[in-house]
């Protein structure tokens, strides 16, 4: 999510012997507001996907068990609508949060796509294919993280509008024809499937199952990231923190990938994992185009 300029946690000036273990030193990446908004978003998405897919696939063997566990079809539908309301509230709160801090001059707009993101995407693809020696140097957020963030807004608009139309079909029917409702039902369902693919094979892998952070990145619950991980994934941000005086200079020189650093040990086969991730995101993007472009052209 986009950031408000807050002070990072102070990094202690470590003795020389500790400089070889930057993975044990943490700085603040997300403040409490970020973490609470992320938690509310996660709860709403889990609720929507669990209930929505159970309703959609009620004819299968597994869905009736989930529906029974949730208290029956009516309860499942109520939970689905409650999760939708929570998602809408999260979106409105986040927009208000950004507007409030924008008026105070505290928004960094670090999620704003730039020309560098396009260059980083090409650079990253060439690196994963072995055509570039070094990976791209990311700032606070990489182009993939920005894509995920903006995709949430896209999904909220598509899911929100189509969901409201299905929630109030009489109103939507008066404003448009029956064929619009039928199309929105398909859009709503397919967008949910795209969201599931993105979360399960993209976001969950990078935030939980990637060997560098397994079993989970601490950012979402503690808001902190280790200097080793920051240097590996966001070196430009690390340099900015040092230039702003928010890191003792000794730590920057110490982050030369010491042999004991787990990120360093993983670098050799991280490229293969990156190729898998690139293929997954490409497949999701292709499915998105395959689903929605024909509808737009119809």
């Amino acid at each position: 999510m986009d950031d408000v300029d807050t002070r990072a946690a102070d990094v202690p000036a470590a003795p020389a012997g500790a400089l070889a273990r930057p993975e044990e030193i943490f700085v603040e990446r997300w403040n409490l507001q970020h973490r609470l908004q992320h938690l509310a978003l996660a709860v709403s998405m889990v609720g929507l996907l669990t209930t929505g897919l159970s309703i959609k696939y009620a004819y299968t063997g597994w869905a009736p068990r989930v529906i029974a566990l949730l208290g029956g079809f009516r309860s499942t539908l109520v939970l689905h609508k409650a999760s939708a309301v929570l998602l809408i509230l999260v979106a409105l709160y986040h927009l208000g949060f950004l507007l409030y801090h924008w008026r105070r001059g505290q928004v960094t707009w670090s999620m704003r796509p730039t020309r560098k993101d396009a260059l980083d995407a090409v650079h990253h693809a060439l690196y994963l294919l072995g055509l570039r020696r070094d990976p791209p140097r990311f700032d606070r957020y990489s182009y993939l993280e920005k894509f995920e963030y903006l995709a949430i807004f896209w999904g909220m608009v598509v899911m929100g509008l189509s969901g409201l139309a299905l929630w109030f079909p009489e109103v939507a029917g008066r404003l448009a024809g029956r064929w619009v409702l039928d199309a929105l039902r398909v859009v709503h369902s397919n967008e949910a499937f795209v969201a599931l693919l993105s979360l399960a094979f993209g976001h969950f892998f990078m935030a939980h199952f990637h060997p560098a952070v397994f079993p989970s990145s601490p950012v979402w619950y503690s808001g902190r990231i280790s200097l080793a991980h920051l240097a590996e994934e966001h070196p430009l941000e690390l340099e900015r923190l040092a230039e702003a005086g928010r890191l003792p200079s000794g730590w920057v020189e110490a982050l030369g990938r010491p042999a004991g650093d787990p990120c360093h040990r993983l670098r050799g086969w991280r490229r293969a994992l990156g190729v898998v991730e690139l293929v997954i995101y490409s497949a999701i993007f292709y499915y998105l185009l395959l689903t929605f472009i024909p509808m737009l052209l119809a």
Side-chain angles (χ1 to χ4, degrees):
M1 61 182 56
D2 225 316
D3 288 300
V4 172
D5 186 16
T6 57
R7 296 288 95 185
D10 292 335
V11 179
L19 290 179
R21 302 189 63 82
E23 67 273 15
E24 297 179 353
I25 304 300
F26 292 82
V27 294
E28 184 182 79
R29 182 166 174 80
W30 277 7
N31 60 30
L32 182 60
Q33 276 280 356
H34 295 142
R35 302 199 300 275
L36 290 177
Q37 291 180 55
H38 177 268
L39 178 61
L41 176 64
V43 170
S44 66
M45 288 301 299
V46 170
L48 284 169
L49 290 172
T50 302
T51 56
L53 293 175
S54 298
I55 294 172
K56 174 180 173 61
Y57 297 105
Y59 57 87
T60 63
W62 62 269
R65 296 188 180 93
V66 176
I67 292 174
L69 186 64
L70 296 175
F73 187 85
R74 184 179 297 275
S75 298
T76 302
L77 185 58
V78 170
L79 288 173
H80 188 74
K81 293 178 178 179
S83 299
V85 171
L86 177 59
L87 181 65
I88 293 173
L89 292 177
V90 170
L92 294 176
Y93 180 85
H94 184 62
L95 291 175
F97 175 78
L98 291 179
L99 179 61
Y100 171 77
H101 288 284
W102 171 71
R103 291 176 64 88
R104 295 166 62 96
Q106 295 177 320
V107 176
T108 64
W109 302 114
S110 54
M111 279 293 188
R112 178 174 55 87
T114 64
R115 180 174 178 270
K116 182 181 182 303
D117 294 316
L119 297 177
D120 283 346
V122 175
H123 185 165
H124 199 198
L126 294 176
Y127 169 73
L128 295 176
L129 294 173
L131 301 178
R132 291 290 294 265
R133 180 181 179 87
D134 297 315
R137 289 165 54 81
F138 298 129
D139 205 326
R140 183 165 178 82
Y141 294 108
S142 69
Y143 71 94
L144 284 174
E145 290 168 316
K146 293 181 181 182
F147 173 80
E148 279 192 293
Y149 177 75
L150 296 175
I152 292 174
F153 281 101
W154 157 262
M156 284 182 175
V157 172
V158 174
M159 296 287 286
L161 293 179
S162 60
L164 287 173
L166 297 175
W167 192 347
F168 304 102
E170 298 85 359
V171 177
R174 287 197 297 267
L175 298 176
R178 171 62 185 270
W179 70 270
V180 175
L181 284 176
D182 292 337
L184 289 177
R185 184 175 291 106
V186 175
V187 168
H188 192 76
S189 175
N190 286 351
E191 175 64 20
F193 189 66
V194 170
L196 176 63
L197 291 177
S198 179
L199 286 172
F201 297 104
H203 183 76
F204 266 71
F205 174 77
M206 294 306 297
H208 298 281
F209 303 129
H210 194 288
V213 298
F214 184 83
S216 177
S217 167
V219 174
W220 71 273
Y221 60 86
S222 71
R224 303 190 306 161
I225 185 173
S226 71
L227 288 185
H229 198 188
L230 193 66
E232 181 75 14
E233 298 290 346
H234 307 280
L236 296 183
E237 182 185 14
L238 181 72
E239 293 173 4
R240 284 193 299 101
L241 290 175
E243 291 173 0
R246 295 165 69 176
L247 290 179
S249 59
W251 282 114
V252 181
E253 286 77 12
L255 290 168
R257 302 272 61 82
D261 184 357
C263 291
H264 176 74
R265 295 198 303 269
L266 292 168
R267 176 176 282 183
W269 58 289
R270 176 172 288 186
R271 177 174 295 174
L273 294 175
V275 171
V276 173
E277 182 188 7
L278 186 64
V279 170
I280 290 171
Y281 273 101
S282 299
I284 293 172
F285 184 67
Y286 173 75
Y287 182 84
L288 184 67
L289 293 180
L290 192 66
T291 301
F292 291 104
I293 293 300
M295 293 182 181
L296 296 176
L297 297 178

